[in-house]
Amino acid sequence: MSDTNEYPHFPSDCKSLLSKYLTKEVYTQLKDKTTPSGFTLDEAIASGVQNSDSGIGVYAGDIESYTTFSALFDPIIEEYHGFSKTDSHISNLNPNDLKAPNPDPENKYIVSTRIRVGRNIANLPLGPAISNEQRDNVENQVSQALNALEGSLKGKYYPLDGMSEEISQKLISDHFLFKAGDRFLEAAGLNRNWPKGRGIYHNDEKTFLVWVNEEDQLRIISMQKGGDIKEVFQRLTDAISKIEEKIEFSYSEHLGYITSCPTNLGTAMRASVHIKVPNLSKDYTRFEEITNKYHLQIRGINGEHSQSVGGIYDISNKRRLGVTEVQCVQDMYDGVVQLIKREKELEAK
Ligand code: ADP
Ligand code: DAR
């Protein structure tokens, strides 16, 4: 990453929130500031400057980035989340508050369900500013805590460093492991010293997984075949509380759980289903009417920036900050019920 100290050029077709809110005045105001980790504005905006097709384009290097560079982060957070600089985040990880009987007990539509949260360790820099030694210490601390888990969460940590290409590709194609080499993360400095310090923990059934030192220091994941969304949420909340007995997560009253990308702040939760809607997806306008109504995002089935395959889509909550974890999952559940209802109506025609 370079500290150019020059106002960046954005192509005329650039639609990132970075290009919208990094005015020359804001750049001049912030360009000489640094956070306690030594993180600079040029480092925070590097991803969006190098990738003009970014949607957002900025990453925080530490919790202090959100105050040191607030003149840039605040309007981006407000536009993306509808959350002002004076709002406070509230968390609710109680699965008893979720109203979600299995919407597809015959497994006709929902291929699989996955709910994940991002977490970072308190009082440490985030991925873009962490040192190699600090990142290795995160791996040691987190893997020790995970390897002590018992019962249905019991499993093993597998470092990426030294993992065979065959095993890592199989885990990625089975949707369990993160892809390597994302250019947005690369430009943000999140891939430095790759693959050292990175790895994956999973239980024997691969229904509970933790990614270590990808975009965030932990991605805590619960997933399984089918549509029992409540069971997936219950497993995730059980795991989070167990891990929190050993590790303090970075959290603020204003922004909730702190993450490197501002889109993940708050709950840092993405609750998704892979769902078969071949008829509904032919009428994409109607498809999006339903997903927009329930604050949902449509993705492809091989991760962010991927395409749908065979009429199967990744449908997940879009709201993460200013809503609770229960509301995130309820958003997804309520939207999925409507998608299935509409798909059934089209099947009947
Ligand atoms: P995230 O930021 O939530 O990790 P990605 O879109 O990058 O999201 O997905 C990461 C991995 O998780 C990908 O391999 C993707 O296919 C997989 N995945 C996401 N949602 C589901 C789901 N509901 N069922 C199975 N795999 C999923
Ligand atoms: N590609 C970046 C990040 C957007 C949100 N996705 C994350 N954090 N994985 C962008 O600015 O489009």
Side-chain angles (χ1 to χ4, degrees), residues 142-325:
V142 172
S143 57
Q144 280 176 26
L146 295 171
N147 283 333
L149 291 173
E150 297 174 339
S152 63
L153 300 177
K154 183 172 178 54
K156 189 176 179 224
Y157 177 73
Y158 303 87
L160 216 56
D161 192 20
M163 186 185 287
S164 74
E165 186 65 21
E166 183 190 0
I167 289 176
S168 66
Q169 277 309 314
K170 177 78 168 66
L171 285 168
I172 292 168
S173 58
D174 287 348
H175 307 297
F176 295 126
L177 181 59
F178 45 78
K179 293 179 286 193
D182 179 298
R183 59 189 162 91
F184 301 97
L185 304 187
E186 179 70 29
L190 282 157
N191 293 343
R192 286 172 298 126
N193 211 32
W194 191 280
K196 293 198 183 303
R198 280 78 176 191
I200 180 172
Y201 171 96
H202 63 74
N203 63 0
D204 295 340
E205 302 78 16
K206 295 197 184 82
T207 54
F208 170 61
L209 308 95
V210 180
W211 296 352
V212 178
N213 285 325
E214 189 232 9
E215 182 176 325
D216 290 302
Q217 285 152 13
L218 295 89
R219 287 288 174 93
I220 306 169
I221 302 160
S222 173
M223 64 192 292
Q224 65 191 50
K225 296 296 184 194
D228 194 337
I229 293 165
K230 186 148 190 170
E231 184 173 64
V232 174
F233 189 43
Q234 179 73 60
R235 180 186 303 116
L236 179 68
T237 56
D238 291 348
I240 291 169
S241 56
K242 277 290 174 201
I243 297 169
E244 260 187 325
E245 290 173 9
K246 300 275 183 67
I247 295 174
E248 183 189 356
F249 294 138
S250 184
Y251 186 89
S252 90
E253 290 304 311
H254 170 47
L255 293 175
Y257 290 100
I258 301 301
T259 56
S260 60
C261 178
T263 63
N264 281 313
L265 288 166
T267 62
M269 176 176 279
R270 195 170 84 86
S272 67
V273 292
H274 280 182
I275 186 169
K276 290 182 275 193
V277 281
N279 295 293
L280 176 56
S281 55
K282 287 177 188 146
D283 180 355
Y284 209 77
T285 305
R286 181 80 181 103
F287 187 18
E288 284 191 312
E289 275 174 12
I290 298 173
T291 54
N292 290 338
K293 180 179 177 184
Y294 290 89
H295 316 289
L296 301 182
Q297 182 184 30
I298 302 172
R299 287 188 185 186
I301 62 168
N302 290 303
E304 192 172 19
H305 311 305
S306 72
Q307 302 305 311
S308 156
V309 175
I312 302 173
Y313 290 82
D314 173 322
I315 301 294
S316 63
N317 62 295
K318 191 171 180 182
R319 301 192 297 180
R320 307 210 207 299
L321 173 62
V323 288
T324 68
E325 289 82 357

Side-chain angles (χ1 to χ4, degrees), residues 68-136:
T68 303
F69 307 121
S70 59
L72 175 61
F73 275 104
D74 281 353
I76 288 175
I77 289 166
E78 179 146 18
E79 175 158 339
Y80 185 86
H81 293 285
F83 187 86
S84 83
K85 58 188 174 186
T86 56
D87 286 335
S88 293
H89 179 74
I90 300 172
S91 181
N92 178 7
L93 279 154
N94 183 351
N96 295 328
D97 293 344
L98 180 69
K99 296 167 182 57
N102 190 334
D104 180 25
E106 295 169 6
N107 293 325
K108 195 172 173 220
Y109 302 96
I110 301 177
V111 176
S112 51
T113 300
R114 175 183 184 267
I115 308 177
R116 66 81 168 159
V117 292
R119 290 290 186 271
N120 290 282
I121 296 179
N123 309 312
L124 267 181
L126 299 167
I130 200 166
S131 72
N132 293 339
E133 184 183 7
Q134 288 171 318
R135 187 187 305 107
D136 292 347

